[in-house]
Amino acid sequence: MTSRTYPSADASPATKSPNTHLNLDVWPKASSPLAQDPETEARIEAILSRMSAEQKVGQILQADIASITPEEVHKYHIGSVLNGGNSSPGGKMRAAPSEWLALADAFWEASMQPDGPQIPVMWGTDAVHGHNNLTGATIFPHNINLGATRDANLVERIGSATALEVRATGMDWTFAPTLAVTRDDRWGRSYESYSESPDLVADLGAAMVRGLQGRPNTPTFLDADHVIATAKHFIGDGGTQDGRDQGETIATEEELRDVHAAGYYRAIGEGILSIMASFSSWKGQKMHGHKGFLTHLLKEHWEFDGLVVGDWNGHGQIPGTSTTNCPDALNAGLDMYMAPDSWKGLYTSLLSQLQEGTICQDRLDDAVRRVLRLKVRARLFTQPKPSERQHAGDYHLIGCQRHRDLAAEAARKSAVLLKNANRSLPLSPRQNILVAGKAADDLGILCGGWTLSWQGEGVRKADYPHAETLLQGIKRVAEADGGNVEYAPDGIYQSTPDVAIYVFGEKPYAEFRGDLTTLDFKPGNRTDLQAIRRLKEAGIPVITIFLSGRPLWVNPELNKSDAFIAAFLPGSQSGAIADLLFRQENATADLDFTGMLPFSWPEHADQYLLNQGDTDYQPLFPYGFRLSLQDTCTLGQLHENSLATEPDHGTIFDHGAPQGSWEILLTDPSGHATWKGRSLVSPAAEIHAQPADLGQQENAIRVGWARTNTATLTFLHPPLDMTREANADFYLKLVLANLPDDINGTQMSVISGSGRIRMGDLLCMYRQEETDLTLTITIPLKKFASAGADLTSVKGIEFWNPGSGQIVISHIGISTL
Ligand code: BGC
Ligand code: BGC
């Protein structure tokens, strides 16, 4: 293991005690090119002096479009709306651009009613790799790819193109760029980070800000071609312990300054208008409540006069607060709460806290001033309603040829050639070419998370009609020069090919859903390796293209491949990579690979914290590694020792067995018995269990009670923290045999740090879906919390039935719907 060892930091759980002390003398100053203009400031003061307490509180709240109506924006004087990764107009994932624009108008008009303060509401969206919540948009490669291009000019052009597509649907603001410097590549957001190198993050982050907002102090700054950008997540998001999303950042103050802050100096230098607080904590203190960072460093020391916005209900994670009751965040320096579904509760609690003096008038006024300053700087007060602004309704911009060409350029420039044994590449197009692997033609895998939905699930080819998948690109290039392409997703071909191009990779994910315990790609499931091996055994050379959100341990696949390309998450124009694979007969100059690794590539699956500059730095491929087609490849046979990897705790019961460390106990007053997959009776015979079939052989467990009211069926686990899942609206999902008469009366409890909390009768309370065979029950995790469970330490769930009921369970898991 060659990981870097960090100096030990106090990783105690988040505490409420304010530990705000930073040694600001060691932090350089930052300098924004945006001077405060006296006229603007006077205007802000004039507006402020006319605002009521209600109007001020409303102005610092941001609600999700799924949880607010235009009427409510008017009534509560809401300052901003956002669409979260899963929210869209009318809840329609594939809403047309015109529906987005119409909704933008509706919110804007509501904020401009003559009987209100007439402060235009602004709409924020996660346009993090193009206008990615919209069907038909150009989906640019993710930031990890942009890191591989090393091309700041390209990144700036991508920022401008993204801004235009966002403008076409009437939004004002994007939550990008992410300036995280990922240190532990197990982190599920690694692909949102440009690089492990603070310098590269700083360069490309600055370029993205310029592209999105325009150049400060020029007429283009935040003109009709640009949108407000957000530097996120402040600070330390990429440095959390074990790469755990939203976790505790393990770094000294100097490391925060030199590594994690690098992007912020430059973004401020480009006139960034907003900065988002991080979900993470440092020395046990959550960033949303950290006055040292939000106020002393950012606003006082760096003199940032823009807006500090929160992350998705992130304020509610400050110990002792809740999503609807959290004066602490405002007091620490947050200016706008991202309060998707909690805005109304916050509105009420903040107003009474203002009266009681828990928050002071000056801090509230300062926050409102910052919101207004942002709106003035973004020219919102002088613009007509969204649909009447320049570029609004120019739907031809969405996914236009010029933007697609840019996305193609980025896909090409970010593909990193890692192996090219015997100069297998470039290929002659005039041969029989097999393309294998489902990923070759799967836009979901090619684009990754934050595409159409938060997790990037459910993406279809029809959603991006202008896209070119890898398969389509290979066909375009090879067939133009007389080649023959066969596509076999499983690698089973009809006619023997001369060469195979095998494409595989990670399934899409976002945020903590992508956290890993080791860097092993798909431990225990190497179907891709088997497919590659079959081709090799048939004497066919294999060119492998790997799609992933981070470097992963793929030694066995590398060994079997003649050439290997790390393409990361190349986006909707992935097909452009095909231009690099073939010797093109009519091309004036052959294209070559120029992509360079933005992250060090591990030789062992436990090299999580592998970063250039480490004292004992032994990567398989170092930071910056690249091969060109001219290079001779010297990669020898690699070891294939994988590591044991912990399973995903989100699945509790499946395939007829408890998963991971989950255990099933049958308990009655005489003691308990642990289920091992066979028939089992509790010590006093009050409850019994046996394997059962639910559409498949032995994929379920049947449990029956003997009318005693004292026996329980318990699923147990060492304490798990499910706060993040609850915050993101996850559910406990139970799939049962559809036997309502038998289940009738079955009760459920959740066991956590706060003891056993009774949730009530399964059949009465929760959302159910039925088929002839199954009954699916979904319980929002938030319900557990509101019933009093401690979601920082969930230990299990329990069922009992006072009658002689029975229950057949085929699946229990924690998931989105
Ligand atoms: C993410 C942010 C994102 C926000 C709004 C959060 O969960 O951490 O990066 O901007 O949601 O979707
Ligand atoms: C939202 C995302 C958000 C996430 C928070 C999801 O439900 O759609 O935008 O980032 O929750 O973790």
Side-chain angles (χ1 to χ4, degrees), residues 104-392:
D105 270 355
F107 283 126
W108 186 88
E109 279 164 354
S111 68
M112 298 303 275
Q113 294 290 313
D115 62 336
Q118 295 196 309
I119 301 170
V121 70
M122 59 182 168
W123 182 331
T125 188
D126 290 287
V128 298
H129 63 143
H131 193 6
N132 45 252
N133 287 295
L134 197 78
T135 56
T138 314
I139 302 298
F140 292 99
H142 267 295
N143 288 349
I144 189 170
N145 291 69
L146 303 188
T149 69
R150 302 294 199 274
D151 188 340
N153 173 277
L154 172 65
V155 173
E156 182 172 345
R157 288 181 284 139
I158 289 176
S160 312
T162 303
L164 276 183
E165 295 202 15
V166 170
R167 279 283 185 168
T169 54
M171 290 134 195
D172 314 284
W173 182 8
T174 173
F175 306 124
T178 293
L179 299 180
V181 182
T182 302
R183 306 303 280 177
D184 187 323
D185 300 355
R186 290 173 295 178
W187 188 33
R189 305 192 81 156
S190 295
Y191 66 79
E192 296 186 58
S193 163
Y194 295 109
S195 174
E196 72 187 32
S197 152
D199 293 341
L200 188 55
V201 169
D203 279 351
L204 300 188
M208 184 57 87
V209 174
R210 270 197 308 277
L212 289 166
Q213 295 195 151
R215 296 190 176 233
N217 299 323
T218 72
T220 67
F221 190 65
L222 284 156
D223 67 0
D225 289 2
H226 295 95
V227 293
I228 304 160
T230 311
K232 72 186 189 184
H233 309 83
F234 187 74
I235 184 178
D237 52 350
T240 56
Q241 189 163 28
D242 300 329
R244 185 185 153 86
D245 189 37
Q246 308 186 7
E248 163 74 13
T249 302
I250 304 296
T252 60
E253 191 171 335
E254 289 70 29
E255 282 170 318
L256 282 177
R257 177 195 64 197
D258 298 341
V259 177
H260 300 284
Y264 292 91
Y265 285 99
R266 295 282 302 282
I268 291 173
E270 293 296 339
I272 187 98
L273 290 194
S274 71
I275 294 183
M276 188 185 290
S278 179
F279 273 123
S280 53
S281 56
W282 186 62
K283 294 197 174 171
Q285 207 186 341
K286 283 280 178 184
M287 280 304 146
H288 278 69
H290 206 301
K291 193 167 185 179
F293 284 108
L294 301 189
T295 298
H296 299 147
L297 176 65
L298 189 50
K299 294 179 174 178
E300 292 168 9
H301 193 67
W302 285 352
E303 299 175 33
F304 175 67
D305 67 357
L307 180 82
V308 179
V309 63
D311 202 345
W312 190 268
N313 273 333
H315 55 274
Q317 295 188 8
I318 303 171
T321 74
S322 73
T323 54
T324 51
N325 185 348
C326 182
D328 310 45
L330 182 68
N331 285 336
L334 195 84
D335 301 313
M336 179 176 273
Y337 290 82
M338 188 185 283
D341 53 353
S342 51
W343 59 270
K344 209 186 262 182
L346 271 180
Y347 178 86
T348 313
S349 60
L350 284 169
L351 270 175
S352 58
Q353 283 148 3
L354 182 65
Q355 272 161 14
E356 290 157 11
T358 322
I359 55 176
C360 64
Q361 189 67 50
D362 284 357
R363 179 68 268 274
L364 176 64
D365 286 351
D366 173 56
V368 177
R369 245 178 230 120
R370 287 166 182 271
V371 177
L372 297 176
R373 188 177 296 123
L374 178 91
K375 290 183 175 181
V376 174
R377 281 179 173 160
R379 312 182 191 203
L380 290 183
F381 282 98
T382 52
Q383 287 183 35
K385 66 178 178 182
S387 63
E388 287 170 5
R389 299 177 193 166
Q390 206 184 331
H391 301 306

Side-chain angles (χ1 to χ4, degrees), residues 438-687:
K438 170 176 167 289
D441 205 30
D442 185 323
L443 271 182
I445 298 178
L446 291 164
C447 295
W450 297 106
T451 308
L452 207 54
S453 65
W454 179 40
Q455 294 293 324
E457 286 162 334
V459 173
R460 300 188 212 128
K461 271 169 90 177
D463 295 326
Y464 296 96
H466 303 302
E468 186 185 60
T469 64
L470 262 168
L471 173 66
Q472 290 169 314
I474 293 168
K475 285 193 166 167
R476 168 177 54 81
V477 179
E479 289 173 359
D481 279 342
N484 207 355
V485 178
E486 179 185 342
Y487 179 46
D490 54 5
I492 316 282
Y493 45 81
Q494 300 291 314
S495 56
T496 310
D498 300 310
V499 64
I501 302 174
Y502 191 82
V503 187
F504 75 116
E506 291 189 288
K507 285 208 295 252
Y509 54 81
E511 301 189 42
F512 57 89
R513 290 294 272 178
D515 289 355
L516 292 175
T517 50
T518 79
L519 291 181
D520 191 346
F521 169 72
K522 273 205 192 167
N525 171 6
R526 298 206 103 87
T527 43
D528 298 297
L529 178 63
Q530 286 153 16
I532 298 172
R533 193 181 283 143
R534 264 199 313 274
L535 294 165
K536 283 300 288 178
E537 282 165 2
I540 302 161
V542 181
I543 311 300
T544 302
I545 303 181
F546 184 50
L547 303 163
S548 67
R550 53 200 147 196
L552 288 173
W553 185 79
V554 282
N555 286 6
E557 289 83 359
L558 269 161
N559 280 338
K560 285 279 170 282
S561 306
D562 294 276
F564 194 100
I565 296 155
F568 301 107
L569 300 168
S572 61
Q573 310 314 122
S574 299
I577 296 171
D579 296 325
L580 305 173
L581 301 177
F582 297 95
R583 221 171 293 123
Q584 293 183 35
E585 298 194 349
N586 300 319
T588 38
D590 274 342
L591 291 166
D592 200 347
F593 286 85
T594 54
M596 294 161 89
L597 283 183
F599 288 89
S600 310
W601 198 284
E603 186 181 356
H604 301 270
D606 62 356
Q607 284 177 301
Y608 330 117
L609 280 163
L610 176 70
N611 295 298
Q612 57 156 352
D614 293 354
T615 35
D616 183 18
Y617 182 61
Q618 292 180 33
L620 176 59
F621 303 111
Y623 174 82
F625 181 88
R626 69 170 275 239
L627 289 177
S628 86
L629 293 170
Q630 321 310 319
D631 289 316
T632 318
C633 169
T634 54
L635 191 67
Q637 182 73 14
L638 307 170
H639 80 85
E640 298 198 357
N641 312 324
S642 64
L643 280 177
T645 298
E646 272 184 65
D648 156 24
H649 303 300
T651 312
I652 299 174
F653 182 87
D654 209 21
H655 304 298
Q659 302 292 300
S661 311
W662 285 92
E663 275 194 326
I664 304 181
L665 300 186
L666 303 184
T667 309
D668 65 22
S670 301
H672 67 257
T674 305
W675 195 62
K676 299 278 183 215
R678 306 195 163 260
S679 289
L680 182 72
V681 181
S682 63
E686 291 188 7
I687 179 170

